[in-house]
Amino acid sequence: MGSLLKKEINSFFNQLTGYLIVIIFLISIGLIVWVFPDTSVLEYGYADLDPLFTYTPFVFVFLVPAITMKMIAEEKKTGTWELLMTSPINPFQIVLAKYLAAVLLVLIAVLPTLIYHFSISQLGSPVGNIDSAGFFGSFIGLVFIGAVFSAIGIFSSALTDNQIVAFVIGVFLSFFLYFGLTAVTDLMALSQFSLWLENVSLSYHYRSLNRGVIVSSNLLYFFALITVLLGATALIIRRK
């Protein structure tokens, strides 16, 4: 599994596309947080980073499927999947190694945004006037969103041997789980079914972490969803 994880990391950064994906992500988030007048924290005037945590999931919807789309689909297309399946690890271990590689790549992309906490802390009046608990709670939530989207991307990549199709499926499923369920909840306001939908939406649990309080029910939700997606991916591989 370690060799497979290392292979995925190396294959991502051995191509210019990998660097472009990370650079485009960081530039996009930087423009949203510091430059665009409607979202810039400099225009907002308060020492917090709400724009970072509000708009990053939008970028993740496209970024994470771009990272994961080829992890299984390309193996099938190039004919190396059969070789991988004869290796001394079972299908779930293959899926888990590729998933961990995807999560690590998402972390590599997100970690530079920690600089924003230091920057806002220095710009605060007085210096250090920032809600650190809220920031790091939101940052943990952001990591979990990336981890769930990675599981969705791996699942999508297992459905097809076409990278573009895998990307489109990954974007659709990520968008539906984060934004779609919330939109349906708003349309069916106050009904019992809408309350249940809200509890299974990603955005609901993400907003809970944004308050800076780590609640076990939110963590269990993320772990359960990731486990279901990875289990479904391993099942698809076995059946094929």
Side-chain angles (χ1 to χ4, degrees):
M1 288 177 62
S3 299
L4 183 56
L5 188 151
K6 184 178 178 181
K7 167 186 168 293
E8 293 295 338
I9 299 294
N10 288 337
S11 65
F12 183 81
F13 286 111
N14 280 341
Q15 299 179 4
L16 182 61
T17 308
Y19 293 96
L20 285 176
I21 289 173
V22 175
I23 291 170
I24 290 172
F25 166 73
L26 292 174
I27 291 175
S28 301
I29 295 302
L31 290 173
I32 290 170
V33 174
W34 299 103
V35 178
F36 294 159
D38 293 336
T39 59
S40 172
V41 295
L42 300 178
E43 297 287 338
Y44 185 52
Y46 291 91
D48 62 46
L49 283 163
D50 283 346
L52 171 65
F53 301 113
T54 300
Y55 293 99
T56 299
F58 284 88
V59 183
F60 268 3
V61 166
F62 300 95
L63 170 76
V64 180
I67 291 174
T68 59
M69 63 182 182
K70 68 174 187 176
M71 286 191 167
I72 295 178
E74 188 179 42
E75 299 263 17
K76 295 177 182 178
K77 188 173 182 179
T78 58
T80 57
W81 183 250
E82 289 77 9
L83 180 64
L84 186 60
M85 290 298 290
T86 59
S87 62
I89 54 176
N90 60 49
F92 185 77
Q93 289 175 312
I94 294 173
V95 171
L96 185 59
K98 288 179 174 289
Y99 169 73
L100 292 176
V103 172
L104 185 57
L105 291 170
V106 171
L107 281 174
I108 291 172
V110 172
L111 282 177
T113 61
L114 288 174
I115 298 172
Y116 297 166
H117 177 268
F118 174 77
S119 301
I120 294 298
S121 177
Q122 294 302 305
L123 290 171
S125 179
V127 174
N129 181 30
I130 185 173
D131 181 10
S132 295
F135 174 85
F136 287 106
S138 299
F139 190 83
I140 291 171
L142 203 60
V143 171
F144 274 110
I145 290 294
V148 172
F149 285 176
S150 296
I152 293 172
I154 294 293
F155 173 76
S156 303
S157 188
L159 294 174
T160 177
D161 59 357
N162 188 302
Q163 295 184 40
I164 304 302
V165 174
F167 174 78
V168 172
I169 294 173
V171 169
F172 172 77
L173 292 178
S174 299
F175 185 87
F176 178 75
L177 280 177
Y178 190 87
F179 302 103
L181 291 178
T182 302
V184 173
T185 300
D186 294 338
L187 291 173
M188 304 173 60
L190 302 180
S191 69
Q192 186 175 0
F193 184 64
S194 70
L195 294 176
W196 179 83
L197 277 180
E198 185 178 28
N199 284 325
V200 299
S201 68
L202 278 172
S203 57
Y204 172 78
H205 295 276
Y206 177 58
R207 288 195 302 268
S208 296
L209 290 174
N210 282 0
R211 293 194 293 267
V213 180
I214 309 299
V215 182
S216 58
S217 60
N218 294 324
L219 300 182
L220 287 173
Y221 167 82
F222 286 117
F223 283 120
L225 185 56
I226 291 168
T227 302
V228 169
L229 288 166
L230 295 183
T233 305
L235 182 62
I236 289 172
I237 290 172
R238 284 196 183 99
R239 294 192 67 178
K240 287 189 176 182

